[in-house]
Amino acid sequence: MRRFATITVAAAIAGLGQAAVAQDAVQTARAQAEAARTNPYCANVADAAADARFAWQMQTLSALEKEIEQRIVQLEKKRAEYEEWLRRRNEFLKQADEGLVAIFSRMRPEAAAQQLASLKDEKAAAIIARLNPRISSAILNEMEPGRAAQLTGTLIDSVPRERAAEKS
């Protein structure tokens, strides 16, 4: 009898297992039927969705490329601007010949101030810029305050305005 009970329990468990397998099979069949209904839609739309995604990516890439090109143009403009500033600065400093600078550096500050006051702003400022700071300050001290301020302004204007704005 014990054997019969064990077999009956085993059969019942097997029956439950078969019922669970059958239920899983039914659920799988339902899922496959549902997928069969929706799958043609997904299959039909997949190419259009891929094309739309590709078009969006291409549009995004072209927008980024245009932005990079604009930045390159801006950088080239800045580079050209700084090259022009450097060229003007070098010309400005060349105006003050070494010999002329040596002459002004050996003059008394009063005499040098009178001589520089009669020169054009750019030339006088170039000479002052090339002189030793101690000598330049002594010469500017002997000049009329308005003229000294004018020459100092010319010296300040020789520095790029953007760089001066960054420092302040």
Side-chain angles (χ1 to χ4, degrees):
M1 179 110 159
R2 239 180 180 195
R3 223 176 199 186
F4 181 70
T6 307
I7 293 174
T8 306
V9 170
I13 291 174
L16 287 175
Q18 288 177 353
V21 169
Q23 190 176 15
D24 286 344
V26 169
Q27 287 178 351
T28 305
R30 284 183 186 159
Q32 287 175 350
E34 183 70 26
R37 258 187 281 137
T38 59
N39 195 18
Y41 174 76
C42 292
N44 291 336
V45 175
D47 291 335
D51 291 343
R53 187 179 318 111
F54 179 74
W56 175 77
Q57 289 173 343
M58 288 300 293
Q59 182 181 12
T60 303
L61 286 175
S62 67
L64 289 173
E65 185 178 351
K66 287 178 184 177
E67 184 179 336
I68 288 171
E69 288 174 1
Q70 288 174 349
R71 287 185 180 186
I72 288 172
V73 167
Q74 289 174 346
L75 287 173
E76 287 296 322
K77 285 180 183 177
K78 284 287 184 190
R79 184 184 60 77
E81 181 180 329
Y82 280 116
E83 285 178 354
E84 173 63 20
W85 175 82
L86 183 62
R87 183 191 62 75
R88 286 187 305 152
R89 178 74 175 157
N90 288 337
E91 286 178 9
F92 177 75
L93 291 176
K94 284 180 185 177
Q95 288 179 357
D97 183 44
E98 290 296 326
L100 189 59
V101 171
I103 292 170
F104 276 99
S105 67
R106 291 186 183 112
M107 291 175 77
R108 290 188 328 259
E110 309 87 44
Q114 286 180 348
Q115 293 296 321
L116 287 174
S118 64
L119 291 176
K120 291 183 180 179
D121 287 349
E122 291 178 359
K123 290 183 181 184
I127 292 170
I128 289 173
R130 301 282 301 265
L131 288 172
N132 182 322
R134 183 172 291 198
I135 295 170
S136 296
S137 64
I139 292 172
L140 288 172
N141 191 37
E142 292 296 325
M143 278 188 185
E144 174 188 330
R147 179 69 174 146
Q150 191 176 13
L151 290 177
T152 304
T154 303
L155 285 171
I156 291 171
D157 285 343
S158 67
V159 177
R161 295 178 200 275
E162 293 164 359
R163 186 176 283 172
E166 289 174 3
K167 290 182 180 179
S168 56

